[in-house]
Amino acid sequence: MKKNIFFLIFLLGSICFTSSCKEEETIIEETPPTTEQTIEKFIVTETQDGKIKTILEAESAIIDDNEKKAYLTLPRIKFYEDGKYTSILVAESGEINLETNDVKALGKCTVDTVKNEYLQTRDISYNAAKKLIYSNSDIKITRDKEVIYGSGFRSDINLNNITVKKQRIIIDK
């Protein structure tokens, strides 16, 4: 009986030893082709009839070819009318549709115009075809001696034709 137990233990040990010493098959998986590219100091210039319409600059951009979008870090969009600089939109991050040039500026956003108007809000969208910027977030617009507060807006890129939702104006004499 002791011999049978000893033989059984020996047999189990050799099975465990041989199974743990088997060569493991190495499987090499191919890395699927990536559709993303990263670009440092990303710049896109849009022109019409030889005149600059917009210049979009960002610290970096991740281009997704499948979605036709670029995901931006610290984007700045300079707007021009008839080739003359009119305003700039600055954001923490954003994304641009590479087919339509529409932009979603995300996080804290500001718009400065050449007329010393200053808009502050979060998450601004820019419709390139209509040349409109808009947001549903709370806003603050500073002009000369007045400050306008609201809970969303829609405007041209120069803040000339602006509609402010639920506005409140403070005038400083």
Side-chain angles (χ1 to χ4, degrees), residues 59-95:
E59 291 298 313
S60 65
I62 298 173
I63 311 296
D64 188 329
D65 289 333
N66 287 341
E67 290 187 26
K68 303 293 186 216
K69 287 186 178 182
Y71 298 94
L72 312 169
T73 303
L74 298 173
R76 294 170 303 286
I77 308 170
K78 295 177 183 175
F79 298 104
Y80 295 81
E81 226 173 63
D82 295 322
K84 295 180 182 178
Y85 171 75
T86 58
S87 61
I88 186 170
L89 166 63
V90 180
E92 293 177 325
S93 65
E95 59 185 58

Side-chain angles (χ1 to χ4, degrees), residues 56-170:
L56 184 146
E57 300 175 341
E59 291 298 313
S60 65
I62 298 173
I63 311 296
D64 188 329
D65 289 333
N66 287 341
E67 290 187 26
K68 303 293 186 216
K69 287 186 178 182
Y71 298 94
L72 312 169
T73 303
L74 298 173
R76 294 170 303 286
I77 308 170
K78 295 177 183 175
F79 298 104
Y80 295 81
E81 226 173 63
D82 295 322
K84 295 180 182 178
Y85 171 75
T86 58
S87 61
I88 186 170
L89 166 63
V90 180
E92 293 177 325
S93 65
E95 59 185 58
I96 179 171
N97 181 317
L98 297 172
E99 293 179 330
T100 64
N101 290 334
D102 291 347
V103 176
K104 288 184 183 177
L106 305 170
K108 292 181 184 177
C109 299
T110 60
V111 177
D112 285 312
T113 70
V114 293
K115 299 178 293 176
N116 290 324
E117 296 172 324
Y118 185 69
L119 178 138
Q120 296 172 285
T121 190
R122 296 188 64 80
D123 305 338
I124 293 178
S125 294
Y126 167 62
N127 182 313
K130 295 179 181 179
K131 295 184 181 180
L132 289 176
I133 56 175
Y134 53 93
S135 175
N136 290 322
S137 300
D138 289 341
I139 67 161
K140 176 183 176 182
I141 302 171
T142 306
R143 293 179 165 168
D144 294 321
K145 295 181 180 182
E146 68 181 14
V147 178
I148 302 169
Y149 295 92
S151 62
F153 81 101
R154 179 180 206 88
S155 175
D156 62 351
I157 55 176
N158 305 323
L159 301 181
N160 287 334
N161 300 314
I162 187 167
T163 302
V164 178
K165 299 174 190 174
K166 297 182 183 176
Q167 65 179 300
R168 188 180 87 227
I169 300 174
I170 298 173

Side-chain angles (χ1 to χ4, degrees), residues 44-48 51-56 100-101 126 128:
V44 174
T45 303
E46 182 183 13
T47 60
Q48 183 177 9
K51 294 182 181 178
I52 296 174
K53 286 177 57 179
T54 60
I55 297 175
L56 184 146
T100 64
N101 290 334
Y126 167 62

